Amino acid sequence: MSGLLAGKRLLVTGVITDASIAFSVAKLAQENGAQVVLTGYGRLSLVERIAKRLPEPAPVIELDVTSTEHLAGLADKVREHVDGLDGVVHSIGFAPQSCIGGGFLDASWEDVATALHVSTYSYKSLAIAALPLMSPGGAVVGLTFDASQAWQVYDWMGVAKAGLESVSRYVALHLGKQGIRSNLVAAGPLRTMAAKSIPGFEQFEDAWTKRAPLGWDLTDQEPAARACLALLSDWFPATTGEIVHVDGGFHAIGA
């Protein structure tokens, strides 16, 4: 077995369709020597069908990241397929429609709380649930959308991503003593199922294709996936609490 992740055992969340960034992560991980276990929730049969499109069909575990019962049982379910984990990929985000598309000032706390629980707090929850399976040198990698500024129509999901970026730093702080790294990849806009749920998403598409100095392909998940693989590998042994931008350079260029 050879490849960047030869012998690694990974848990990948967030695969919904083969256009998901998480699917590209799982595919490239397998092609680079890793064993992959997927999680899904709500549309488990769909995830199971998508899992069969990978180079090697991957087992799928049901996981609701807001369920204490699911989180408590995660380690045992993973052990049914692999004897430990070297990496975890957090690719989970959700916000009720009231929280995106321009309704920032009107969204209720109940809806905002849902967005923060699923999209932000879950990063810590997933890391802790997987911790019994991990050894020094392991890595948690999540996906964000640059939260250093406010974006039209992104609204409370932008707040959730800002929180996610902070949570990742605190996970890096508290799990560093156990040798576990925590990093995020800030991907540019991609035409995933999550993106399609955001009213006005075309504003991001127009801006990126015009301003990213390296250009930007809205349908190519592989650059973001490659960055995830690099952070999961042994090539970043002393990097934690970091955000790697994979956005064609857009974040570095003024209006």
Side-chain angles (χ1 to χ4, degrees):
M1 183 163 46
S2 62
L4 185 66
L5 298 179
K8 298 288 188 186
R9 301 152 299 175
L10 305 181
L11 182 69
V12 180
T13 67
V15 173
I16 300 177
T17 73
D18 52 10
S20 304
I21 298 174
F23 178 86
S24 189
V25 171
K27 178 177 179 291
L28 288 176
Q30 287 187 342
E31 291 173 351
N32 280 273
Q35 288 180 273
V36 173
V37 177
L38 305 179
T39 75
Y41 178 69
R43 288 170 284 190
L44 209 60
S45 60
L46 174 60
V47 180
E48 290 170 343
R49 287 200 301 272
I50 297 300
K52 294 176 182 177
R53 299 181 186 177
L54 292 168
E56 294 290 335
V60 179
I61 293 172
E62 184 177 22
L63 176 64
D64 174 1
V65 288
T66 68
S67 167
T68 55
E69 182 180 353
H70 280 204
L71 291 164
L74 179 64
D76 287 339
K77 288 188 175 182
V78 171
R79 286 192 186 99
E80 294 176 8
H81 306 286
V82 291
D83 58 0
L85 288 176
D86 302 290
V88 176
V89 177
H90 180 280
S91 182
I92 299 170
F94 170 77
Q97 282 298 309
S98 65
C99 294
I100 53 179
F104 182 85
L105 298 178
D106 300 317
S108 69
W109 165 243
E110 289 75 17
D111 285 350
V112 171
T114 296
L116 295 176
H117 195 176
V118 177
S119 308
T120 307
Y121 187 78
S122 65
Y123 187 87
K124 187 279 301 185
S125 300
L126 181 62
I128 295 305
L131 189 59
L133 299 164
M134 301 184 76
S135 303
V140 183
V141 176
L143 288 155
T144 187
F145 186 78
D146 185 11
S148 63
Q149 54 190 308
W151 300 99
Q152 294 287 347
V153 309
Y154 208 44
D155 294 335
W156 285 102
M157 183 55 82
V159 176
K161 291 299 188 183
L164 174 66
E165 293 175 8
S166 184
V167 169
S168 176
R169 289 189 288 268
Y170 277 97
V171 169
L173 170 65
H174 290 287
L175 295 190
K177 63 191 72 174
Q178 299 183 48
I180 307 298
R181 295 168 286 133
S182 174
N183 295 289
L184 299 179
V185 171
L190 292 163
R191 288 176 180 165
T192 62
M193 183 174 289
K196 292 176 182 178
S197 70
I198 302 173
F201 181 78
E202 64 275 1
Q203 296 180 40
F204 297 121
E205 297 182 345
D206 293 342
W208 250 263
T209 54
K210 292 175 182 176
R211 282 180 45 200
L214 289 176
W216 186 248
D217 186 341
L218 296 158
T219 62
D220 186 4
Q221 290 80 20
E222 189 166 313
R226 287 189 180 195
C228 291
L229 261 63
L231 291 169
L232 290 164
S233 77
D234 296 329
W235 283 90
F236 282 87
T239 299
T240 194
E242 188 58 87
I243 301 173
V244 177
H245 289 81
V246 182
D247 64 353
F250 182 96
H251 74 282
I253 306 301

